[in-house]
Structure formats: structure tokens, C-alpha cells
Amino acid sequence: MKIEHLDAVMLKRGFIGAYSSLEKNKEEVNALNVFPVPDGDTGTNMALTMNSAVKEIRNGEELSIDEILSRVAKGSLMGARGNSGVILSQLLRGFTKKLTGINRINVKELAHAFKEGSDMAYKAVMKPTEGTILTVGRGCAEKAMELSRKETDVVEFFRAVIEHGNHVLDKTPDMLPVLKDAGVVDAGGKGLIVILEGALKAVLGEEEVELEVITQTAGKELHQLDHDIEFGYCTEFIVNNAEGDPEALKAEIESFGDSMLVVDGDGIIKVHIHTNHPGEVLEKALKLGELVDIKIDNMRYQHHENYSSKELQKYGIVAISVGDGIAKIFEDFRVDRIISGGQTMNPSTEDILKAVDSIDAENIIILPNNKNIILAATQAKELSEKNIEVLMTKSIQQGISAMVAFDESQELQENIECMTEAFESIKVGEVTFSVKDTVIDGRVIAKDDIMGIASKKIECVGQGVPEVTEELLESLVDEDSEIVTLFYGEDVGEDEAESLRQLLEKKYPEIDIEMIPGGQPLYYYLISVE
């Protein structure tokens, strides 16, 4: 079957086929992620981005080529998730831009569209890395331009581009040693080939095109309405000259609210709790000693003042979070909008834009808190007309450290500098499990092994969570370390966390050990050392 031009119907089928192919094969793409962590989601992010790109053209209407291109470009841009999704959205954005205004698309025009897509994707990344989806996209574009000088059949053109793209994909392990060590090709590059293969099959009618749209929402904002604040008073105080059992106090007051922290040491007990009955909490604490530094804030009133006032706030903060405990910590720091997402499902550019648009503030600071969300946050900044700064926080721990340093009385650039200095000064680690057998940096890792990770490197592997956590801390703690904070996940019991805290306090008597319920999925512990 020879095709010399693509019309609107073929173009529409091609885009939908590209998405359908990726949706069917996303787990195969996910499995290529180098790190065997349970949140390897390249295929998922690319599929969700493609879904957003095509959902507006799957409505049964007869659309022109320009209408299809416009909807695909906007949909992919707004729905982009994760680094792979953002890069894919830029590939599609350049591709569609070059074809706009053309009624019947031929090989030469397709070739220039491939090149424009590749160029735009490279420009979107501050430090492009070869051996990734960028390399595969450029390889496809170069082959397309070469073919355009002699080929007129769209079908043969696509087959040759895909064949060359697979050849480039097979070479990605030679460009990135980490791929070679793991015995895989680049996941994003594989996703791009799957997209092209699906598009060609759909145009040729070799594969049925599903008309249903799978709708998934990765990001959602938490605690935005007054009635979402179950316990209205943020209550903090210190029990001085404390005599009594802090654990007994914890047991007495835990039924009065949530977000409770009770930390003891050197004859004092620090207490934090969200409650509707601060007076009763203080009565309980009085039995142990005198109370000082009492602070009670009405969060419902503050919430109403923040979001109902027509006057602009000086600052608005958007943070990506994961886990109820982590979200509550960001709430305590007066973060305006919390988007649930993080490790397990990256929020889209549109999710972040919606959060930004809902804040009336002179300056808005976005904390991505995940390296895979920074590009989407940056893209949201570029699409918004508001004054936005994106802090390059790559972990929840860095985000919390940045908020500790935030000072509303400072000017924007002073805040950005202080917050950046704060989060860059801490060491972070995480404890999770392996989802597959693999080899990384010469280390053999089996499925379900417990891994301790720091600075993008697997520091230790073992069978027990406490043992691996303790070993990981040995690589993070040095003579200058003063505070170690461990946020324990939803799969760690309070007793287990407390037992580990006691062990670490004996091992590091000069260091303040804080154990906080984070409630995050998949990661047993998120660790911060300062």
C-alpha cells in the first residue's frame, strides 16, 4: 500500500494509534528503567501525556488538519508528566508546529516536522544527555531528512525511520554506561519507537484503534476547603523541667487530634498537635511540668484569610507531596497548595498550573520535590503569566528543608537564595525495595531486596529494612552531622519506627534523631541529615 499524502483522517488515526500502542506496551517500557525502584514510570508518564494529547480529537467530529495539530500540541503540553512526558510533549509540539497550515502532508513535510520536534525537545532540556529519548528522536529526524530527498511513499518513509530509530536505540547502552550495566536500552527512546510503530499500524489499518479514552488523574490538591480541616487549632508548646513519661503524654493526647509530634530530651518535651481542644491538651501536659512557648493558631481562620481575601498575598507556595504525614508537614509550613503526586505518579503541567492559578499572590514558589517533576514545573512557569520561581528540590526532604528556611518578610531573591542554600546543604537518602533482578555498578540485586539509596547511587542492599537503614545512615552521617530526620512510610509500623529510633540514638548519642510519620508509599524511610 503506497501513500503519498496524509489527510486529516489518517493523521487522526495515526495519533490515536500512537497512544493506543503506548498504552498497551507501557509496562514493557517501565521495565526498562535502570534503577529497580518501584516508581520506574517512564512508560506510564509517556502514555498519560499521549492520552492527554489525543483525547480532544477522539470526539467523533470531523476535524481539519490544523485543528488536530492544535489540539494534540495543547493536550500534550498541558498533560505532560515526568521528564519523559515533558520531552515527548516538546517533540509533539515541534512536529505539529511545522505541519500547521498544510492541507495534505507529504514525506518532505513530515521530515521537517521530525527535525523541528527534535530541535524543540533539545532546547527544552538544560543539560541534554545522549543515550536517551533525545538521541533516538534526533536519530529519527536525521534519517527522515535523508529520506526526504528521494522517498515519496509515507509508508516506506515511516518504516525506514522506525528501523533506523531502533538501530539508534540499540546503541544507547554504548552512550550511557548505566544502561549497559543494567543490560537495557533507554526507556524513553523505546517509548518513542512504540509511538511511531503504533502510528504506522493505525494509518495502514493493521491494528484496531480504540475510541475510549482512559482517564487517569495523577495530581490532586489536598485540604483546600475549610471543611477539609478536621482539627482546626495548630497547637505547639514546650514542657519545661518535665517529670513524667513522654510516651504516656503521647498516649493521652493522641485522641484529641492529628499531626502529633512529641519529642523529648534534656528535661524538656516539645509537643505539636492539630486539635479542636487545645485547652484540654495543655491540661494534660501541665501534669508533667511548666508550659512555655505556647503557640495556638486557628488554621481555619488563617485558611479563610489566605484564600478569601481579594488582596494579593506576598507569597504563595505550591509543593508536590506524597503521603498524608508529609502533606501535613507542608501544611504546617503554610504551603498554599499541596499537589499529591511525587514518586508514584507525577502530576502534569496542567495540575501544577491549576494550583498556581488558584493562588492570589505577588510571588509564587513551586517546590517540585522530585527530579522527575522539575521539567513539568518549569513548563508550568513558562505557560503562566504570574511571577513564578521553581526551586530545584529533588526530594521531599529537600522541600521540607527549603520551607524551614522560608521567611515571608524577606524579598523574593533573598528567599530563593536562603531556601536553595538550605536544601543543598542537607544529605538525603531513601530505603525501598527492588522490583526486579538487575546489576548496577557491579552490584547484583535480586527482586524484593531492600535497598539504601543516596546521591542517585545504591549504597547498600540487604534483607531487612532496619539493617539497611542503619547501614545507609553510616554513609550519610559524618562528624559535622547534628540532626537526622527519618520519615517513615505507610508500610512501617509505629513500634518498628520507634525501635529503630532508639537503636540510632544509642549509636549516635551526640546527634538528634527525629522519627516522623510520613505515610509515603513504596519508600520505607526518607532520610534527611543536616
Side-chain angles (χ1 to χ4, degrees), residues 254-447:
E254 64 181 353
S255 63
F256 285 95
D258 63 9
S259 298
M260 181 180 68
L261 293 175
V262 178
V263 181
D264 67 292
D266 299 326
I268 66 170
I269 302 174
K270 298 179 181 179
V271 178
H272 171 281
I273 187 172
H274 292 175
T275 179
N276 288 330
H277 304 285
E280 294 185 45
V281 172
L282 295 175
E283 285 288 338
K284 299 287 185 184
L286 269 172
K287 298 175 184 177
L288 278 70
E290 61 180 3
L291 305 185
V292 297
D293 294 343
I294 300 172
K295 183 184 177 188
I296 301 173
D297 291 325
N298 185 332
M299 294 188 295
R300 293 190 183 98
Y301 174 77
Q302 290 175 333
H303 186 283
H304 179 76
E305 287 295 297
N306 282 342
Y307 301 128
S308 297
S309 173
K310 293 183 180 179
E311 293 183 8
L312 284 179
Q313 303 168 214
K314 184 175 181 179
Y315 286 105
I317 312 285
V318 175
I320 285 74
S321 180
V322 58
D324 292 342
I326 301 296
K328 287 169 183 172
I329 292 169
F330 280 122
E331 284 180 351
D332 291 344
F333 282 116
R334 307 298 188 262
V335 170
D336 296 79
R337 289 291 184 269
I338 298 171
I339 304 174
S340 178
Q343 299 281 23
T344 54
M345 183 70 81
N346 300 146
S348 68
T349 298
E350 185 174 19
D351 292 325
I352 299 171
L353 264 178
K354 284 181 178 178
V356 166
D357 289 342
S358 69
I359 300 173
D360 292 323
E362 295 176 20
N363 308 291
I364 295 176
I365 299 173
I366 301 176
L367 304 174
N369 300 336
N370 185 304
K371 64 181 176 58
N372 209 31
I373 301 175
I374 290 175
L375 275 182
T378 303
Q379 192 157 272
K381 172 185 176 179
E382 292 171 355
L383 291 172
S384 176
E385 295 181 356
K386 295 189 175 183
N387 187 35
I388 297 173
E389 289 285 346
V390 178
L391 281 187
M392 300 297 145
T393 51
K394 299 178 181 179
S395 67
I396 293 294
Q397 303 95 299
Q398 287 189 337
I400 292 173
S401 178
M403 286 308 302
V404 170
F406 174 71
D407 183 350
E408 193 158 357
S409 67
Q410 289 187 331
E411 294 304 311
L412 178 61
Q413 287 309 310
E414 291 176 312
N415 254 321
I416 296 302
E417 290 173 10
C418 290
M419 295 170 80
T420 301
E421 182 179 351
F423 79 72
E424 287 182 345
S425 69
I426 67 170
K427 300 177 185 177
V428 301
E430 52 211 23
V431 180
T432 186
F433 59 93
S434 173
V435 295
K436 63 181 179 181
D437 298 338
T438 188
V439 177
I440 295 181
D441 295 331
R443 187 194 297 273
V444 178
I445 300 171
K447 185 176 182 294

Side-chain angles (χ1 to χ4, degrees), residues 96-152:
T96 56
K97 178 183 176 182
K98 203 66 177 177
L99 296 178
T100 300
I102 300 171
N103 293 324
R104 299 175 75 217
I105 301 168
N106 62 28
V107 164
K108 190 176 292 292
E109 290 153 349
L110 282 170
H112 284 282
F114 269 94
K115 186 177 186 307
E116 182 70 17
S118 175
D119 291 346
M120 194 164 286
Y122 266 91
K123 291 175 185 175
V125 181
M126 188 174 297
K127 296 180 180 178
T129 301
E130 296 303 332
T132 65
I133 183 176
L134 291 170
T135 307
V136 177
R138 188 184 65 206
C140 289
E142 289 171 350
K143 186 63 176 179
M145 292 299 292
E146 176 191 325
L147 290 165
S148 69
R149 291 192 285 269
K150 56 183 179 180
E151 183 62 71
T152 59

Side-chain angles (χ1 to χ4, degrees), residues 157-173:
F157 167 81
F158 262 94
R159 284 174 178 161
V161 167
I162 292 169
E163 181 181 1
H164 184 74
N166 269 312
H167 180 65
V168 176
L169 179 65
D170 288 341
K171 288 185 175 181
T172 55

